[in-house]
Amino acid sequence: MCGVFGVVLPPGVASGEQSAAAMASLGLFALQHRGQESAGVAVSDGEQLMLYKDLGMIASVLDERRLPSLRGDLAIAHCRYSTTGSTVWENAQPTFRLGPRRALAIGHNGNLVNTRDLLGPLSGGRARLPASTDTELLTALLADEPARDTVDALVRVLPRVRGAYSLVVLDERRVIGVRDPHGFRPLVLGRLPASLGGPDDGSAPGLWGVDEDDRSGWVLASETTGLDIVGAEFIRDVEPGEIVVLERGQPPRSVRFATATPALCVFELIYFARPDSYLEGRNLYEARRRMGEELALEHPADTDLVMPVPDTGAPAAAGYAEQSGIPYREGMTRNRYAGRTFIQPSNGMRQRGVTVKLSALREQVRDRRLIVVDDSIVRGTTTKAIVGLLRKAGAAEVHVRISAPPIFHPCFYGIDTQIETELIAAQKSVAEIQDFIGADSLSYLSIGGVLEAVDLPRDRFCFACFDGN
Ligand code: SF4
């Protein structure tokens, strides 16, 4: 999972007055939850591309002292959580390639599944690639492609590419958004007002009095929260199988390269995307709260309190409490300066991360029967540690409720659960998992319950890690 962002400044905004690099960095900052290993930005001043990237969090990599040297009106940015390739500088993105036909930079969210087939026609083979990622390979193929321009190159190359890819592509004159034919990963289009200063009345920036597309700027982001932070108005999702071309002073141009067969990753709604984001027209806090309501209907329990695993279990715990009538209370506190457990790159760090991150509020949990709501169990080690924390703090009973179905299968589309032996639900029954984590009971929300909560048809989503299809 990664975050991508792209921006074309409005034509009325002079270079230097507002930097595309600074805006891309700000937009990316709202997507930090999507990847914490590296960050980078590429800019174009209309003639040449410049790139800066490094390992680390966005605020430290895209430091304001570095940004002024990255001048230009067009920019893309990327934050990475590795799904292919290790955490080394070379694998940070955006990628950059100066090919015989064109210069390109790319930010990629997703995972390609046919890299071996794609390597075949690459002149020079793998030895030519400075990095070990699927994105590096795609960048080389596109830079080499003997097509008239970048859009033509994309139309020729993408039909050979299999897997998940939401891309932001930068050449000298354009920022281009691409979503694979299944639309596994989200990508949204937003519009920037012609003047970026904001209205005089102190209200939030937005579109005020200007709606001509040729005076607007344009933004692409993995999630709507990336639009909100830069004051862009949500226009629409980039469609699966669509290329959206953004040029300064022109309305967006849509090019279809494949028929859409939508399969948005349902985990984006359950867990990955920020709760203030919207996907498929659904606010994710509300979708998750409703998953909690469904969970209470499917798996009630007689307890004293409902509590979330902070912070991601909070919306579903609120829904569970409302539906069941059992009081909601916080029973754990989270160190806000520790990263999300799932997103730490090694298992050793993950295990240490639980106790670094969470501690129990003893007065709240002692002698109480608890329902503890979380949004997923991947390896089981985190949940086991949480149940242990609560028992040590004196909880009388701990009933674990998960607002997603059990994960039986690995994901090949950009989520780091690729080894089946690491998935506890692939190895143990629900009763055995309950035993492993030390809970008094354990229940998961059904696929039907997830669909009921989001109120959308099943064929819009990928459920492959839950049902194998
Ligand atoms: Fe998402 Fe699971 Fe599909 Fe992967 S397999 S894209 S995690 S729903």
Side-chain angles (χ1 to χ4, degrees):
M1 188 171 71
C2 299
V4 296
F5 190 90
V7 59
V8 173
L9 291 181
V13 177
S15 299
E17 181 187 328
Q18 172 75 39
S19 142
M23 186 171 284
S25 302
L26 181 63
L28 192 67
F29 189 61
L31 304 172
Q32 178 77 84
H33 59 287
R34 298 187 69 87
Q36 300 166 344
E37 292 180 15
S38 69
V41 62
V43 300
S44 173
D45 60 5
E47 291 180 0
Q48 63 175 357
L49 272 55
M50 282 169 284
L51 171 74
Y52 183 79
K53 63 180 185 179
D54 206 348
L55 302 179
M57 303 283 276
I58 295 162
S60 60
V61 174
L62 302 179
D63 184 285
E64 62 185 18
R65 286 165 300 178
R66 292 195 182 98
L67 296 178
S69 59
L70 296 166
R71 300 181 72 82
D73 306 317
L74 286 70
I76 62 169
H78 182 275
C79 58
R80 178 169 191 253
Y81 174 73
S82 61
T83 48
T84 67
S86 50
T87 307
V88 294
W89 183 89
E90 288 76 8
N91 289 345
Q93 296 187 32
T95 55
F96 171 76
R97 194 151 198 105
L98 181 59
R101 307 282 172 176
R102 60 190 61 84
L104 278 181
I106 294 183
H108 174 201
N109 178 199
N111 206 17
L112 307 186
V113 297
N114 65 332
T115 47
R116 201 168 290 185
D117 301 341
L118 294 172
L119 259 175
L122 183 74
S123 64
R126 186 178 284 283
R128 256 188 72 201
L129 302 176
S132 59
T133 62
D134 50 358
T135 317
E136 192 69 37
L137 170 59
L138 180 61
T139 311
L141 288 171
L142 288 166
D144 283 3
E145 178 62 35
R148 194 169 48 88
D149 75 355
T150 308
V151 178
D152 292 338
L154 285 162
V155 169
R156 286 199 198 181
V157 169
L158 292 177
R160 304 203 302 268
V161 176
R162 304 259 175 281
Y165 52 92
S166 280
L167 307 175
V168 286
V169 181
L170 178 73
D171 68 13
E172 288 90 344
R173 291 183 297 111
R174 288 169 294 199
V175 170
I176 301 166
V178 181
R179 224 169 144 208
D180 69 70
H182 297 296
F184 284 113
R185 301 284 146 227
L187 189 65
V188 296
L189 172 67
R191 178 163 51 183
L192 283 169
S195 163
L196 295 175
D200 294 338
D201 62 3
S203 60
L207 285 177
W208 51 96
V210 177
D211 57 8
E212 303 116 278
D213 281 353
D214 58 0
R215 292 181 59 199
S216 302
W218 301 98
V219 173
L220 294 161
S222 293
E223 298 177 28
T224 58
T225 184
L227 306 183
D228 295 340
I229 197 170
V230 299
E233 175 199 36
F234 171 76
I235 299 297
R236 64 176 177 86
D237 291 325
V238 175
E239 295 293 325
E242 184 189 20
I243 296 169
V244 172
V245 185
L246 305 177
E247 287 182 75
R248 244 190 151 197
Q250 294 185 29
R253 183 161 62 91
S254 172
V255 178
R256 182 153 287 287
F257 69 93
T259 306
T261 49
L264 174 65
C265 171
V266 74
F267 244 123
E268 293 277 358
L269 285 92
I270 293 169
Y271 171 83
F272 295 136
R274 249 172 59 161
D276 53 337
S277 285
Y278 287 73
L279 283 175
E280 297 282 312
R282 303 291 183 268
N283 167 248
L284 299 188
Y285 183 93
E286 180 58 12
R288 291 166 192 172
R289 196 193 63 77
R290 292 188 57 179
M291 287 173 203
E293 288 183 344
E294 293 297 322
L295 190 58
L297 289 169
E298 288 185 6
H299 303 291
D302 182 20
T303 64
D304 304 311
L305 293 174
V306 176
M307 51 185 53
V309 172
D311 296 325
T312 53
Y320 195 108
E322 283 170 42
Q323 180 63 45
S324 63
I326 301 169
Y328 175 96
R329 201 171 293 176
E330 291 180 26
M332 284 167 275
T333 188
R334 179 176 180 273
N335 181 339
R336 298 190 190 285
Y337 304 98
R340 284 163 56 149
T341 304
F342 182 70
I343 215 154
Q344 301 297 337
S346 79
N347 204 31
M349 286 174 71
R350 264 191 291 275
Q351 284 173 359
R352 278 201 305 279
V354 176
T355 46
V356 168
K357 193 172 76 168
L358 293 175
S359 59
L361 297 166
R362 287 189 189 83
E363 298 307 315
Q364 307 305 318
V365 306
R366 187 180 296 137
D367 299 329
R368 297 225 166 85
R369 298 169 302 157
L370 310 175
I371 284 179
V372 178
V373 181
D374 205 354
D375 50 24
S376 56
I377 298 180
V378 180
R379 297 160 187 85
T381 47
T382 302
T383 315
K384 182 184 174 78
I386 288 167
V387 173
L389 269 183
L390 294 170
R391 290 219 187 273
K392 205 170 159 195
E397 294 175 18
V398 182
H399 301 267
V400 175
R401 296 291 179 270
I402 304 297
S403 60
I407 306 170
F408 292 116
H409 305 279
C411 172
F412 298 104
Y413 306 116
I415 302 304
D416 181 29
T417 58
Q418 294 178 343
I419 305 167
E420 197 150 336
T421 51
E422 287 189 350
L423 297 174
I424 193 165
Q427 307 297 323
K428 298 179 190 291
S429 67
V430 173
E432 287 169 337
I433 299 170
Q434 178 186 319
D435 202 38
F436 174 77
I437 63 176
D440 292 287
S441 74
L442 166 68
S443 300
Y444 294 83
L445 184 61
S446 67
I447 288 178
V450 172
L451 290 169
E452 197 67 38
V454 298
D455 194 22
L456 287 166
R458 182 173 180 143
D459 61 9
R460 296 268 279 274
F461 297 103
C462 175
F463 276 95
C465 55
F466 302 120
D467 65 8
N469 296 321

